[in-house]
Amino acid sequence: MRNKEVSKILSNIARFLAMDNVAFKPQAYERAALGIESMEEDIENLYSEKKLKTIPGVGEGIAKAIEEYLKTGTIRIYEEYKKKLPIDLDALTALEGLGAKRARVLYQKLKIRSIKDLERAAKNHKIAPVFGFGEKTEKNILEGIQFLKRDKGRFLLGDIMPTVKDVFDRLASLKEVKKISLAGSLRRMKETIGDGDILIVSTFPSKVVNAFINFPGVEKVWAKGSTKASVRMKEGFDIDLRIVPAKSYGSALQYFTGSKDHNIRTRLRAMEKGLKLNEYGVFRGSKMIAGRTEKEVYSAIGLPFIPPELREDHGELNFPLPSLVEMKDIKGDLHCHSDWDGGSDSIKDMASYADSLGYEYLGIADHTKFLRIEHGLDEKQLLKQREAVKKITSFKVIQGCETNILTNGTCDIKDSVLSQLDYVIAGVHSQMKMTKEEMTDRIIRAMKNPHIDIIAHPTGRLIQRRDEFLLDFDKILRAAKETGTILEINSNPLRLDLKDVNIRRAREAGVKMVINTDSHQKEQMELMEYGVAQARRGWAEKKDIVNTYSLNKLLECL
Ligand code: DGT
Ligand code: CA
Ligand code: CA
């Protein structure tokens, strides 16, 4: 499958086109890139069947570009753009607030090509005087760089999971592979990942190792032994592979899933029982008493099976374990954007995608007018949209909106219109730097508006890019409980907001939550799995999450 590379190059071209202020084309390239990235079919097959134009966003021009890429390994206009603008666009635009256009200005004015150049310029106060930048931007750039440094070498779960899944599927299809599992932080679904870990049982380890190190996308081989290997993928992260005998699979999986702190606890627990636990098994003296399955291993040391997401030494050996919410419990997604606010897909298309995911209902919550860059809807448009939603009968769609909590805690849509919608989401999208007291009061004031049901991405963080708001979270929880406001668990891998520890606090405070994807394109609804994983890491059960409810019960609490 070369889908990912094709998608990447199209999306890069989109950015270059956008920088050149070309109209419409960038959106088409971006849309094509997203479509290709998320589709199941192999792009090369579609090409050989002359069906490229069935991909959303792909017209004559883009089809030609794809053909050129598949044949020559690059696209001429892309090479030309790169020559004109020889900068590390990916790294630079990874900084919060620095888009492609601004990166180009910095190159033209200050010859900034890399993060290093950028940092030097910002420290020497060269950025602020550039037209359109200013002191504040310069400060934000420096802060952003500090963020990158702090998390150096860690990757967003959602960025690396698709590649690891590819590798996993390739391994799983080898006939020499008898058992396979993700391990490490990936299996625990941590929000950021140092490296990927995969564990295998095989009848012919050296064959598996050889196949693995020759997979497409493997850029470097760090180490290769008879039962393990470690490689660097071209996306820049590493994958460790280990092959173990069947009789130790459970104990090895337990060991390599971690976390380290959880492992220390389990080993101590074993010792208290006069046993020894290591990656080879559970032993009484020299006799091995368990090791084949994880369940057997936990049971031998007197513990129930502990779901991987809980293995963080957060009390999982001592508390009664929750019965965690699962993907299959999710009945709908309540935070999805349509083409009414500039999202990619019509309400109808979003609805049929929700249907294909096996959901019972879909909530459309478009941005509202304060967010002009997001084409936010005003009162009139919301009411018009309401009529449009009513006409959809093929799937149950409910209509909300994602209104903006303004600095004083009021929101940008009149109550008389909010009251007509099925539900209302509210979120902070501006003025994020307020004192703790101000920000807490701002959000609580919004919660007290009887029309507001859900607070979107409540703490405002962007992982590795932007800190949480300063918030008195206990106060927020008390207010949520009092007003019956639901807190969102936003599934976007860059947000995961609420995060695990806050989910646990919310649950303990008796505050309900909703797991949403905040999709601006139908395929993004698949991000739900990251939100569910985060909820599980926060010990959440089905009853804590309102979009596990049937529609009637859901509407009652909205
Ligand atoms: P990461 O890769 O930084 O996101 O985090 P992990 O948890 O995947 O860590 P990694 O890849 O270094 O090792 C995988 C697992 O192997 C880890 O979760 C627990 C186990 N492990 C590795 N080194 C040690 C160790 O020194 N002591 C113990 N008890 N376990 C270890
Ligand atoms: Ca790891
Ligand atoms: Ca590792």
Side-chain angles (χ1 to χ4, degrees):
M1 286 273 265
R2 296 173 70 191
N3 293 25
K4 213 171 282 161
E5 341 164 4
V6 176
S7 160
K8 178 90 199 142
I9 196 167
L10 294 181
S11 134
N12 281 336
I13 293 175
R15 292 203 288 185
F16 280 128
L17 290 167
M19 271 189 267
D20 259 358
N21 289 318
V22 179
F24 306 117
K25 258 180 143 176
Q27 287 89 328
Y29 270 87
E30 198 48 57
R31 186 166 163 69
L34 281 167
I36 292 168
E37 198 191 346
S38 52
M39 73 188 189
E40 304 273 315
E41 306 93 305
D42 191 326
I43 184 91
E44 288 181 285
N45 289 345
L46 278 184
Y47 168 60
S48 55
E49 290 163 14
K50 301 199 167 22
K51 282 192 192 151
L52 286 178
K53 283 194 253 170
T54 59
I55 305 167
V58 176
E60 192 64 42
I62 297 181
K64 279 240 167 68
I66 296 172
E67 174 176 14
E68 186 182 344
Y69 182 77
L70 292 176
K71 282 188 175 157
T72 67
T74 187
I75 300 174
R76 196 177 37 84
I77 54 164
Y78 177 61
E79 294 301 323
E80 280 167 12
Y81 269 125
K82 268 205 313 197
K83 228 179 273 161
K84 267 201 280 184
L85 195 67
I87 65 172
D88 189 348
L89 195 58
D90 279 343
L92 290 170
T93 54
L95 284 177
E96 175 62 12
L98 191 65
K101 276 190 193 168
R102 288 177 149 223
R104 180 169 75 168
V105 173
L106 290 178
Y107 173 69
Q108 287 166 339
K109 300 268 183 225
L110 303 170
K111 287 279 161 274
I112 289 170
R113 291 165 182 255
S114 63
I115 295 280
K116 237 189 186 152
D117 297 345
L118 184 66
E119 184 174 17
R120 198 177 309 126
K123 279 191 171 149
N124 294 325
H125 303 296
K126 295 268 167 52
I127 309 268
V130 177
F131 182 74
F133 283 76
E135 297 286 338
K136 210 170 133 196
T137 309
E138 184 173 276
K139 202 168 143 252
N140 285 343
I141 285 175
L142 277 174
E143 275 178 24
I145 293 174
Q146 288 317 308
F147 252 100
L148 288 183
K149 283 190 177 162
R150 200 169 71 192
D151 281 305
K152 208 169 169 49
R154 294 194 72 79
F155 298 79
L156 291 190
L157 173 66
D159 282 348
I160 81 167
M161 189 60 111
T163 306
V164 177
K165 273 190 182 154
D166 258 18
V167 170
F168 184 95
D169 290 344
R170 276 175 200 279
L171 284 166
S173 69
L174 299 174
K175 64 177 187 306
E176 293 84 8
V177 169
K178 297 301 165 206
K179 283 191 177 141
I180 178 166
S181 174
L182 292 180
S185 50
L186 269 176
R187 183 162 179 244
R188 305 197 311 278
M189 298 292 273
K190 244 181 104 151
E191 63 191 36
T192 64
I193 304 292
D195 68 2
D197 299 277
I198 299 179
L199 191 75
I200 278 179
V201 172
S202 169
T203 46
F204 211 153
S206 60
K207 263 208 167 145
V208 176
V209 166
N210 276 322
F212 174 62
I213 62 176
N214 288 304
F215 280 167
V218 170
E219 194 177 72
K220 249 188 254 168
V221 179
W222 298 120
K224 172 192 167 232
S226 52
T227 58
K228 59 180 174 187
S230 178
V231 301
R232 161 73 43 99
M233 302 303 293
K234 72 173 187 320
E235 289 87 350
F237 66 90
D238 297 342
I239 301 183
D240 286 345
L241 176 75
R242 289 185 197 78
I243 301 166
V244 298
K247 69 175 178 20
S248 295
Y249 181 64
S251 44
L253 190 53
Q254 199 277 328
Y255 180 86
F256 290 114
T257 296
S259 64
K260 232 177 242 180
D261 293 337
H262 173 84
N263 287 356
I264 292 168
R265 293 278 166 206
T266 50
R267 253 179 303 160
L268 283 172
R269 182 60 62 89
M271 274 159 65
E272 286 161 19
K273 301 208 167 279
L275 302 170
K276 197 173 102 191
L277 166 65
N278 58 30
E279 59 182 290
Y280 307 104
V282 184
F283 300 86
R284 177 171 286 122
S286 60
K287 186 167 178 282
M288 177 163 163
I289 61 165
R292 196 166 283 272
T293 66
E294 269 190 329
K295 196 159 182 251
E296 181 184 302
V297 168
Y298 278 108
S299 155
I301 59 173
L303 292 171
F305 175 83
I306 300 177
E309 295 92 336
L310 300 187
R311 300 184 194 171
E312 298 289 350
D313 188 23
H314 289 165
E316 65 275 13
L317 266 61
N318 302 315
F319 289 108
L321 294 179
S323 138
L324 298 178
V325 61
E326 295 178 46
M327 252 324 264
K328 71 169 168 48
D329 299 329
I330 301 296
K331 295 204 167 67
D333 193 336
L334 294 188
H335 186 168
C336 289
H337 295 268
S338 74
D339 57 0
W340 284 67
D341 76 354
S344 310
D345 295 294
S346 67
I347 298 175
K348 243 191 161 148
D349 287 349
M350 295 295 281
S352 58
Y353 205 82
D355 195 4
S356 76
L357 293 176
Y359 289 159
E360 235 178 86
Y361 46 81
L362 169 72
I364 293 291
D366 280 337
H367 285 294
T368 55
K369 64 188 180 190
F370 179 80
L371 279 190
R372 262 183 254 140
I373 42 165
E374 300 273 8
H375 309 279
L377 310 187
D378 61 18
E379 281 85 354
K380 242 171 113 181
Q381 289 167 302
L382 280 170
L383 294 176
K384 207 171 135 203
Q385 185 185 51
R386 186 146 193 82
E387 292 311 308
V389 166
K390 275 187 195 154
K391 288 201 184 108
I392 296 174
T393 51
S394 51
F395 188 76
K396 184 65 202 173
V397 179
I398 56 176
Q399 185 209 17
C401 68
E402 183 183 12
T403 149
N404 302 291
I405 305 176
L406 306 176
T407 18
N408 65 3
T410 62
C411 76
D412 62 336
I413 295 292
K414 285 191 204 120
D415 282 353
S416 60
V417 172
L418 293 182
S419 66
Q420 297 182 53
L421 310 181
D422 295 312
Y423 66 104
V424 176
I425 301 181
V428 169
H429 298 102
S430 59
Q431 279 286 356
M432 314 213 175
K433 290 194 173 144
M434 292 175 101
T435 65
K436 190 170 181 171
E437 211 181 357
E438 284 168 343
M439 189 56 102
T440 306
D441 288 349
R442 176 178 177 185
I443 294 177
I444 289 178
R445 179 147 183 220
M447 290 188 189
K448 287 189 174 155
N449 179 329
H451 303 297
I452 291 176
D453 305 289
I454 297 170
I455 302 295
H457 36 71
T459 72
R461 73 163 180 171
L462 296 178
I463 302 172
Q464 299 183 336
R465 294 194 192 178
R466 186 171 78 204
D467 268 325
E468 296 175 358
F469 310 140
L470 297 172
L471 274 184
D472 184 336
F473 196 65
D474 283 320
K475 233 172 149 181
I476 295 279
L477 289 177
R478 277 199 300 277
K481 178 81 185 155
E482 272 167 35
T483 56
T485 310
I486 297 158
L487 300 184
E488 180 178 76
I489 299 171
N490 191 296
S491 305
N492 189 302
L494 187 57
R495 289 192 182 270
L496 295 176
D497 181 9
L498 300 176
K499 66 180 176 191
D500 47 15
V501 292
N502 286 340
I503 293 167
R504 191 151 171 201
R505 284 165 76 186
R507 172 177 140 75
E508 279 161 8
V511 170
K512 296 286 183 230
M513 290 165 278
V514 57
I515 309 176
N516 287 329
T517 62
D518 203 348
S519 294
H520 288 67
Q521 193 225 359
K522 59 183 192 295
E523 288 84 359
Q524 288 173 349
M525 281 189 231
E526 313 252 3
L527 298 175
M528 185 62 82
E529 69 167 304
Y530 299 114
V532 170
Q534 195 67 198
R536 291 168 63 85
R537 289 178 57 84
W539 294 52
E541 302 195 338
K542 191 173 165 181
K543 64 172 167 23
D544 303 315
I545 307 295
V546 300
N547 53 326
T548 63
Y549 300 173
S550 65
L551 183 66
N552 285 337
K553 188 167 167 203
L554 173 73
L555 289 174
E556 260 167 47
C557 61
L558 293 174

